[in-house]
Amino acid sequence: MHLWRGVDEVPSELPPTSVTIGTFDGVHRGHRILLDRVVADAVGGSMPVAVTFDPHPLSVIRPDVAPLLLTGLPHRLELLADAGIQGVLALRFTHEVAAESAERFATRVLAGALNARHVVVGANFRFGHRAAGDVVTLTELGRELGFDVTVVELAPLDGEQAVSSTAIRAMVAAGDVAGAATALGRPHRVSGTVVRGDQRGRQLGYPTANVEVADGVAVPADGVYAAWFRAAGEPQAWRPAAVSVGT
């Protein structure tokens, strides 16, 4: 999979693309509908591409309400590749990007850098300065700039709520990891570095691995969980584990 960390890194000879756009935190079941559609529609030599943002837009616009992340960028890229995406444009989100108009974004990024011929977005998609652009705006811009737009309905989570990163974060925070796994399409994953602890477990005959998790990561509520773990040196060797979150 190709990774471009800005429009300047996208090669000028890029073939026509089928594109979807979003933060894609969690790459959950709702995101997979968009990604599957992009991959399915990328025929005739076009490349399936995802545009994502790093850091999360709210961490720049409203850092006081920025969400805890379900997936950091490395994990997100791994999941996008697993979904069949061949290229990812990971735009660094800044105040300048936030101030960009919908028309400018579509012209500079979609039609310009990515040579888009088809764009797939969810029904609630918003873009541009102060989220002024919506699916109608995007469709109108597509007619002018040479790409078609497909609008996909949101995946249902239950009778009244759609699958969303916000809903999944709430489940994780409440300790509802089973519900989060259903919405994600896989168990929630937390990564971190093993650090030295007080070695109390070793004294009890059960040595433990104390995992230091980066700030801003969605960690389940305090409790003891059944889990799987893998070590960095054995990426394919998953082992059962009991994980204690808390003090």
Side-chain angles (χ1 to χ4, degrees):
M1 185 182 73
H2 303 281
L3 171 62
W4 309 297
R5 291 185 175 271
V7 294
D8 293 340
E9 292 189 8
V10 180
S12 57
E13 67 277 9
L14 191 71
T17 61
S18 180
V19 181
T20 187
I21 312 162
T23 304
F24 296 116
D25 184 30
V27 192
H28 54 61
R29 287 199 299 111
H31 295 145
R32 281 302 300 258
I33 293 175
L34 297 175
L35 299 169
D36 291 347
R37 182 63 182 268
V38 165
V39 171
D41 289 346
V43 295
S46 64
M47 174 188 291
V49 169
V51 178
T52 188
F53 302 97
D54 185 56
H56 193 286
L58 278 179
S59 70
V60 175
I61 300 171
R62 289 285 310 278
D64 55 317
V65 296
L68 299 175
L69 293 180
L70 298 166
T71 50
L73 184 60
H75 188 196
R76 201 184 323 160
L77 295 174
E78 177 186 323
L79 293 168
L80 290 172
D82 289 345
I85 295 298
Q86 295 178 11
V88 174
L89 174 57
L91 289 175
R92 178 167 179 77
F93 197 86
T94 63
H95 287 289
E96 289 73 23
V97 172
E100 193 170 41
S101 69
E103 181 177 5
R104 172 65 176 159
F105 179 85
T107 302
R108 181 177 71 93
V109 177
L110 300 178
L114 293 179
N115 192 22
R117 292 295 179 268
H118 187 207
V119 178
V120 179
V121 293
N124 64 343
F125 177 71
R126 310 288 303 197
F127 71 118
H129 182 53
R130 296 186 181 277
D134 58 12
V135 294
V136 174
T137 310
L138 184 64
T139 302
E140 292 173 348
L141 289 170
R143 294 194 189 102
E144 299 174 11
L145 298 171
F147 57 81
D148 298 325
V149 175
T150 296
V151 179
V152 176
E153 292 301 320
L154 304 182
L157 178 60
D158 54 37
E160 299 179 357
Q161 187 180 29
V163 174
S164 71
S165 301
T166 300
I168 297 170
R169 291 186 199 107
M171 293 176 191
V172 172
D176 181 11
V177 290
T182 298
L184 286 167
R186 66 184 187 282
H188 177 52
R189 187 173 103 183
V190 176
S191 299
T193 303
V194 175
V195 296
R196 186 179 180 87
D198 294 329
Q199 299 187 329
R200 294 192 185 97
R202 186 184 306 272
Q203 295 170 12
L204 297 172
Y206 293 92
T208 60
N210 298 279
V211 179
E212 186 174 69
V213 179
D215 292 338
V217 175
V219 175
D222 287 6
V224 179
Y225 298 86
W228 296 90
F229 86 96
R230 66 181 182 184
E234 300 178 285
Q236 304 305 319
W238 289 94
R239 296 182 173 88
V243 174
S244 175
V245 179
T247 56

